């Protein structure tokens, strides 16, 4: 396998904490190693330069000493110059004096060995420093004492320099290794601390997978960073999913309950007909009439459930002139309920447009008016009026019906909720009409409110935002 591919797979298989620790350790180590290398090169160059300066100073002192002796030089003269001798000994340098043929005449401080005479580069005047050898620095100078012509040779060992360089290099390597381990450990601890909310989030997700929505989100994280935003988004998403799941469960339970009743009624009448009603015209007509009514009730219920499901998914909101479509719905209901009186108070300006589809608005106003007529004493009297504010269009539908008790007002928009189940069933209601109305209005960014007094009637107020061009 390709080493690069293997390395990528190895990194991909590690946890985020290990990746974080490894990345931080690598970055810190490389940064420290780069700085150490630069510092080592600079320090080595500076120290070597110091060694060259020591050689240069010694050669200057030697050349000056020889020039000051005139035509004669004795061993006693050399020994008398204690400062120069002490400096040579302390620097561990070795000095020798050669004649023109390379024969050694004098040696001071025998601590080093010299290279062969025939391999030495001699200067034409003064002295020459040779730095080509890694173990020492050598220098050769021309000496003239009367009729004596020769050379002075200096050998400056680099043992102390190399020891210092080795010590510095070892120390830097140890510090680099320690920085690698320390940065890896600190990176792992820091990653564990910073990623703890994500670990808690994973545990919560595992609980949701294992137990559903039974457990609530228990992550405590107050920082306003990316992880905090992620947790907030997750909490919001889970709340919506939980609410949707609970609504779905409740919807299925309610729908099953609502469908069970008409099915049982039809089943009972079919059983009655099967036993003895098929030969009795009166029982047969009554049972078939009731069964057909219940089948129609089930059909209406299923249609409204499908409409509710479709409405929750469709968010299309084209502009609609609500006054125009209110008139159409009133004409339609007047034919169905000829005894009902629907008072329509038209606004001063007939064009009142809101962002909602015409079908949706017709369904809203049809449901509200049908309920108002259904729950009013005959002849029903319903009044529709409009109000336009700088930001909203308000539609009021007021009836003089039986009204709604205070304890039921907040629940009438719940699915399948009925104030009086027996009366509602007899009047043909399914308990979904107002739920559909509320859903459609909220899809149009509007709201609906109701004020009711038992025995006197109810007023439904629908509020829609005004179009931007009308502002």
């Amino acid at each position: 396998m390709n080493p690069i591919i293997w390395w990528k797979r190895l990194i991909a298989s590690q946890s985020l904490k290990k990746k974080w620790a490894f990345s931080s350790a690598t970055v810190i180590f490389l940064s420290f190693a780069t700085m150490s290398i630069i510092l080592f090169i600079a320090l080595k160059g500076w120290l070597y330069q110091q060694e060259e300066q020591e050689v240069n100073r010694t050669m200057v002192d030697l050349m000056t000493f020889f020039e000051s002796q005139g035509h004669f030089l004795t061993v006693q003269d050399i020994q008398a110059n204690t400062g120069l001798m002490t400096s040579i000994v302390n620097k561990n340098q070795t000095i020798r004096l050669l004649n023109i043929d390379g024969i050694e005449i004098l040696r001071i401080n025998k601590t080093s060995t010299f290279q062969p005479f025939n391999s030495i580069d001699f200067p034409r005047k003064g002295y020459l420093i040779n730095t080509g050898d890694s173990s020492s620095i050598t220098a050769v100078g021309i000496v003239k004492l009367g009729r004596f012509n020769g050379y002075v040779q200096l050998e400056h060992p680099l043992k102390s320099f190399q020891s210092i360089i080795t010590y510095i290099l070892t120390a830097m390597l140890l510090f680099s290794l320690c920085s690698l381990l320390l940065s890896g450990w600190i990176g792992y601890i820091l990653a564990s601390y910073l990623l703890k909310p994500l670990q808690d989030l994973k545990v919560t997700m595992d609980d949701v997978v294992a137990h559903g929505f039974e457990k609530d989100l228990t992550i405590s994280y107050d920082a306003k960073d990316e992880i905090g935003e992620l947790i907030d988004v997750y909490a919001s998403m889970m709340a919506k999913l939980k609410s949707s799941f609970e609504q779905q469960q409740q919807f299925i339970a309610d729908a099953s309950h609502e469908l069970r009743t008409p099915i049982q009624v039809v089943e009972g009448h079919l059983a009655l007909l099967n036993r003895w009603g098929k030969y009795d015209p009166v029982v047969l007509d009554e049972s078939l009439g009731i069964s057909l009514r219940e089948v129609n009730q089930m059909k209406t219920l299923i249609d409204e459930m499908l409409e509710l499901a479709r409405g929750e998914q469709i968010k299309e909101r084209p502009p609609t002139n609500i006054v125009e479509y209110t008139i159409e719905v009133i004409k339609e209901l007047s034919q169905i309920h000829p005894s009902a009186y629907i008072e329509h108070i038209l606004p001063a300006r007939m064009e009142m447009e809101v962002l909602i589809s015409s079908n949706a608005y017709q369904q809203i106003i049809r449901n509200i008016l049908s309920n108002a007529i259904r729950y009013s004493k005959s002849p029903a009297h319903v009044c529709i009026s409009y109000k336009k504010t700088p930001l909203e269009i308000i539609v009021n539908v007021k009836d003089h019906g039986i009204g709604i008790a205070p304890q039921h007002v907040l629940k009438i928009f719940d699915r399948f909720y009925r104030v009086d189940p027996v009366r509602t069933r007899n009047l043909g209601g399914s308990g979904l009409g107002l739920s559909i109305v509320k859903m459609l209005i909220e899809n149009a960014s509007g709201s609906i409110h109701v004020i009711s007094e038992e025995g006197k009637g109810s007023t439904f107020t629908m509020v829609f935002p005004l179009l931007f061009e009308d502002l």
Side-chain angles (χ1 to χ4, degrees), residues 389-409:
T389 69
L391 298 176
E392 299 169 332
I393 290 178
I394 302 171
V395 182
N396 290 308
V397 178
K398 183 178 181 181
D399 65 60
H400 301 277
I402 60 175
I404 306 170
Q407 66 268 23
H408 298 298
V409 169

Side-chain angles (χ1 to χ4, degrees), residues 196-197 200-201 204 217-223 228 231:
K196 186 178 183 302
D200 295 340
L201 185 60
T204 303
L217 184 65
T218 57
I219 301 175
S220 177
Y221 192 77
D222 299 327
I231 293 175

Side-chain angles (χ1 to χ4, degrees), residues 306-315 439-440 443:
L306 291 175
E307 184 66 32
L308 191 61
R310 284 195 299 266
E312 288 177 341
Q313 298 173 359
I314 300 173
K315 303 295 184 180
M439 177 269 300
L440 292 174
N443 281 353

Side-chain angles (χ1 to χ4, degrees), residues 44 48 51 130-138 155-163 165:
K44 181 180 179 181
Y48 194 85
E51 297 295 329
N130 182 15
T131 59
D133 191 356
S134 60
S135 61
S136 62
I137 300 175
T138 60
E155 186 85 6
H156 181 82
L158 295 176
K159 291 181 179 179
S160 59
F161 166 77
Q162 292 174 344
S163 298
I165 292 300

